[in-house]
Amino acid sequence: IKQGILSPLLVLSGLSDGLSGLSDDSSKEPKFTKCRSPERETFSCHWTDAVHHGSKSLGPIQLFYTRRNIQEWTQEWKECPDYVSAGENSCYFNSSFTSIWIPYCIKLTSNGGTVDEKCFSVDEIVQPDPPIALNWTLLNVSLTGIHADIQVRWEAPPNADIQKGWMVLEYELQYKEVNETKWKMMDPILSTSVPVYSLKVDKEYEVRVRSKQRNSGNYGEFSEVLYVTLPQMNQFTCEEDFYFPWLLIIIFGIFGLTVMLFEGKLEEVNTILAIHDSYKPEFHSDDSWVEFIELDIDEPDEKNEGSDTDRLLSSDHQKSHSNLGVKDGDSGRTSCYEPDILETDFNANDIHEGTSEVAQPQRLKGETDLLCLDQKNQNKSPYHDACPATQQPSVIQAEKNKPQPLPTDGAESTHQAAHIQLSNPSSLANIDFYAQVSDITPAGSVVLSPGQKNKAGMSQCDMHLEMVSLCQENFIMDNAYFCEADAKKCIPVAPHIKVESHIEPSFNQEDIYITTESLTTTAGRPGTTEHIPGSEMPVPDYTSIHIVQSPQGLILNATALPLPDKEFLSSCGYVSTDQLNKIMP
Amino acid sequence: MNIKGSPWKGSLLLLLVSNLLLCQNVAPLPVCPGGAARCQVTLRDLFDRAVVLSHYIHNLSSEMFSEFDKRYTHGRGFITRTINSCHTSSLPTPEDKEQAQQINQKDFLSLIVSILRSWNEPLYHLVTEVRGMQEAPEAILSKAVEIEEQTKRLLEGMELIVSQVHPETKENEIYPVWSGLPSLQMADEESRLSAYYNLLHCLRRDSHKIDNYLKLLKCRIIHNNNC
């Protein structure tokens, strides 16, 4: 029964609505327009008057209300206690009739029939009065005299009991220029004063504020508009302008002088720093295959190509072991970096690095870094196991000094290749080949443009390969690297070191490196690798692609590569880019 | 009063964070020195934090109710079915400003504590039941969990306030018991939804009461009716 108390009433109201519509042509039923509580202590409800054009006249309109008491809806509807205080067509509930957390239902009746009904709780209909006593004060004026900040203050509506904490209000301020149409709104605030920034001095503004109970109810009406006319301070402004530029000129002058004085020194610093820092991105952008190699950069003196060449050509390994000192910077090292390897290996390590921008031959300690995965897998185990007896000198791969492959380097490489240096087996772990350094990281790591692989292991076994084919004339190399074997072909120098295809197993390993340039160059191939399809190019030293922090890097999973032939892996064990491109789509 | 220091420290930290998040115009609150057995926080700060919490809880309750209504019961006339009163209706809570002003401070505080205590169990079951619902509404569940958590904090804070304002108060554990669990587990969907609706409606109402009462008490006790 209780459940159905309101639903039939609602149905009735709908019916009566329809009925009256039939009888009169434009009669409108009285409807509730609004219920409002300004201070959460009283409330009032208003309705429209009935408009009747027809002859039928409605009886007096009555309002009944009910509220749920402690336990249940009271079925009795009580009539409105005050039809007068809130004006016509209204019902006013004073504080004794107003309960906050008890819902109300009211209904409008005419001639005994309900015409409208609604339910609510008082908090939902709270709409505070507008704030009062708006005023503003000037905070400051900008130095240019064009803008000004003001502080606007107001008071809460007097009937809202803020002092006792019965109501907590938030306010919204709006302002605009007098001749504008759209108001600018500020975020709601809880305090009764707020700064307004950057008003133009020459304009007049209007400001208004409205309030709302926090968390419930609606915004009340806006307060009266406050007009803000900022004081025009033309004369004052001129004075400011008059003085100000001088100060600015002096300041800038001093600053400029300071800059010029230090400019020279700065350039020095910049050049030093640029090597490490600023060039790095350039290098990266140039090469899609970038590998970080830790280099030992001790003295700038050591870093010139001439010394490298000399070292290449001379049988004495001039490397200063000091140079070999492993740079202990952390950057650039892979996890398997082992400084010890480099130091011992350096003897046989004739790394000639062609650096494009950085004319600093760096010892590629990092080779062990990069290749350590291979190294450790290949050099140490397969190679050492497979070719334990090899006491072959590591062949120094001729290398270009220029970062970019130069066709003319072929001859040069061959020359350089002529200087084969022997190394100890232990040095096989060394990096005997040249990698092209394209960049140097700030920490001293060297970025190799072509990937470099430690061929030490391979070199060990290289000997075992017969270099059958003739030296290929087409040393058209895009990069500076090509197989030892290829170089050797053209070098009538004993001992022949054969580039062994021991690299094959290494190829299956994860981190074999393929230089970018190797992929693009044509590496000469030894005879044994004549089967290499397509590119009769000198095969570079690298077979694996290793992503080293390069967005363009590729991790070439060797196992994923369809290796057409074992011969595909050249005697050097490297796959050129062309070959690679053929392999991979 | 047996007030455990550690949970109160955590709640104080939480209150501090929520204070920073929610109240833009609250002065920075002192942080309890770590390791102190009992945090000596001023009554003013306790009230400030309590109000922040109660405000937050009420916001969450309102949102949770709105979301529930929107999703499950909107336009189905459930409001007319809320004939079941809230389990806290037996408490003599002031229903308007005059009544709130007439009630004395001590009783007022006890009342608030009773309401908070009485909601411990319903909130726990609410979380459990919503969690076990098929396709549990995440928005509602997360809010329920948060409300349960914060209500515990608020209760601890209130107990601390009572111990400071009325140290002689004997701890009165009497509070209204909620027995609506069976209705939450009813097989009939309409009845079950009605039970949830009622529970969330009551939670919204009671959280609003607590928030309002605390604001009144804060102005009365701390600011001497001159907030």
Side-chain angles (χ1 to χ4, degrees), chain B residues 33-96:
Chain B
R38 265 178 83 159
C39 240
Q40 294 303 317
V41 187
T42 66
L43 190 64
R44 180 191 206 117
D45 293 335
L46 287 176
F47 262 106
D48 283 344
R49 298 174 189 190
V51 166
V52 165
L53 261 189
S54 65
H55 189 88
Y56 180 51
I57 291 169
H58 173 59
N59 273 351
L60 287 175
S61 306
S62 294
E63 288 172 15
M64 185 167 69
F65 176 78
S66 300
E67 280 169 24
F68 177 86
D69 187 35
K70 192 168 84 176
R71 182 172 171 153
Y72 295 105
T73 56
H74 186 64
R76 290 166 66 177
F78 272 81
I79 187 160
T80 61
R81 302 188 204 183
T82 52
I83 54 163
N84 302 324
S85 62
C86 302
H87 68 287
T88 50
S89 298
S90 58
L91 288 172
T93 53
E95 295 294 329
D96 58 31

Side-chain angles (χ1 to χ4, degrees), chain B residues 69-125:
Chain B
D69 187 35
K70 192 168 84 176
R71 182 172 171 153
Y72 295 105
T73 56
H74 186 64
R76 290 166 66 177
F78 272 81
I79 187 160
T80 61
R81 302 188 204 183
T82 52
I83 54 163
N84 302 324
S85 62
C86 302
H87 68 287
T88 50
S89 298
S90 58
L91 288 172
T93 53
E95 295 294 329
D96 58 31
K97 191 171 95 166
E98 284 91 19
Q99 293 178 15
Q101 286 177 304
Q102 283 157 16
I103 190 170
N104 73 56
Q105 187 176 298
K106 187 169 162 188
D107 293 339
F108 215 173
L109 285 168
S110 299
L111 195 62
I112 296 172
V113 170
S114 292
I115 300 176
L116 287 171
R117 284 208 184 107
S118 76
W119 272 101
N120 272 338
E121 195 176 327
L123 284 173
Y124 169 79
H125 287 295

Side-chain angles (χ1 to χ4, degrees), chain B residues 34-224:
Chain B
R38 265 178 83 159
C39 240
Q40 294 303 317
V41 187
T42 66
L43 190 64
R44 180 191 206 117
D45 293 335
L46 287 176
F47 262 106
D48 283 344
R49 298 174 189 190
V51 166
V52 165
L53 261 189
S54 65
H55 189 88
Y56 180 51
I57 291 169
H58 173 59
N59 273 351
L60 287 175
S61 306
S62 294
E63 288 172 15
M64 185 167 69
F65 176 78
S66 300
E67 280 169 24
F68 177 86
D69 187 35
K70 192 168 84 176
R71 182 172 171 153
Y72 295 105
T73 56
H74 186 64
R76 290 166 66 177
F78 272 81
I79 187 160
T80 61
R81 302 188 204 183
T82 52
I83 54 163
N84 302 324
S85 62
C86 302
H87 68 287
T88 50
S89 298
S90 58
L91 288 172
T93 53
E95 295 294 329
D96 58 31
K97 191 171 95 166
E98 284 91 19
Q99 293 178 15
Q101 286 177 304
Q102 283 157 16
I103 190 170
N104 73 56
Q105 187 176 298
K106 187 169 162 188
D107 293 339
F108 215 173
L109 285 168
S110 299
L111 195 62
I112 296 172
V113 170
S114 292
I115 300 176
L116 287 171
R117 284 208 184 107
S118 76
W119 272 101
N120 272 338
E121 195 176 327
L123 284 173
Y124 169 79
H125 287 295
L126 175 69
V127 168
T128 313
E129 292 302 312
V130 170
R131 208 175 253 149
M133 272 167 127
Q134 255 184 351
E135 298 171 0
E138 181 56 36
I140 294 172
L141 176 63
S142 62
K143 288 188 172 68
V145 168
E146 183 72 359
I147 290 171
E148 186 195 5
E149 179 74 19
Q150 302 303 332
T151 304
K152 285 189 187 134
R153 302 275 167 265
L154 181 57
L155 180 58
E156 290 172 1
M158 290 312 302
E159 287 167 350
L160 197 58
I161 288 175
V162 169
S163 76
Q164 283 202 20
V165 178
H166 300 285
E168 72 285 354
T169 307
K170 275 189 213 169
E171 193 146 320
N172 184 9
E173 291 283 344
I174 297 179
Y175 54 86
V177 176
W178 178 72
S179 55
L181 183 58
S183 61
L184 284 186
Q185 297 166 327
M186 283 169 78
D188 174 38
E189 193 200 340
E190 284 277 306
S191 311
R192 201 171 62 245
L193 281 179
S194 182
Y196 275 103
Y197 186 93
N198 196 58
L199 181 65
L200 295 178
H201 192 268
C202 289
L203 178 62
R204 183 178 75 163
R205 191 194 75 164
D206 283 354
S207 63
H208 190 226
K209 278 190 184 178
I210 291 170
D211 186 39
N212 210 162
Y213 295 163
L214 278 175
K215 284 169 179 164
L216 284 169
L217 273 178
K218 179 183 142 184
C219 287
R220 196 201 286 195
I221 295 176
I222 306 293
H223 302 274
N224 205 17

Side-chain angles (χ1 to χ4, degrees), chain A residues 59-71:
Chain A
I61 297 170
Q62 289 174 298
L63 183 144
F64 291 90
Y65 73 95
T66 183
R67 57 181 175 181
R68 195 185 68 204
N69 279 342
I70 299 297
Q71 289 297 328

Side-chain angles (χ1 to χ4, degrees), chain A residues 115-249:
Chain A
V115 292
D116 198 2
E117 187 167 352
K118 69 187 280 186
C119 295
F120 56 89
S121 64
V122 173
D123 267 315
E124 294 167 16
I125 60 170
V126 169
Q127 237 181 325
D129 283 341
I132 57 169
L134 270 74
N135 60 38
W136 69 275
T137 53
L138 184 69
L139 284 177
N140 53 44
V141 183
S142 71
L143 289 167
T144 57
I146 297 177
H147 293 106
D149 306 330
I150 62 171
Q151 185 86 10
V152 181
R153 289 191 180 82
W154 59 89
E155 287 173 17
N159 56 5
D161 195 344
I162 310 289
Q163 289 78 18
K164 295 202 187 70
W166 182 243
M167 280 185 89
V168 178
L169 296 178
E170 65 180 23
Y171 304 95
E172 185 195 65
L173 184 143
Q174 297 186 357
Y175 67 100
K176 72 173 178 68
E177 289 177 31
V178 171
N179 51 12
E180 276 179 348
T181 50
K182 207 167 174 205
W183 290 89
K184 292 196 187 90
M185 277 179 265
M186 296 180 62
D187 289 333
I189 44 179
L190 295 172
S191 60
T192 57
S193 86
V194 74
V196 182
Y197 297 113
S198 274
L199 297 181
K200 296 197 193 115
V201 167
D202 56 345
K203 304 265 201 262
E204 194 175 339
Y205 286 86
E206 300 176 322
V207 176
R208 60 183 188 178
V209 186
R210 59 180 179 173
S211 64
K212 176 173 100 70
Q213 193 187 18
R214 232 178 140 194
N215 288 333
S216 61
N218 302 311
Y219 271 110
E221 292 296 322
F222 279 103
S223 64
E224 289 184 5
V225 170
L226 174 72
Y227 287 94
V228 176
T229 308
L230 294 156
Q232 300 277 337
M233 299 179 288
N234 289 329
Q235 291 176 345
F236 190 68
T237 306
C238 284
E239 285 179 7
E240 283 181 346
D241 291 337
F242 184 70
Y243 287 125
F244 199 60
W246 287 111
L247 193 61
L248 278 177
I249 289 169

Side-chain angles (χ1 to χ4, degrees), chain A residues 469 472 486 489 523-527 529 532 537 539 570 574 576 579:
Chain A
S469 70
Q472 293 196 355
D486 301 327
K489 281 184 250 168
R525 295 195 164 277
T529 59
I532 294 169
M537 303 305 201
V539 180
S570 69
Y574 306 100
S576 70
Q579 298 163 358

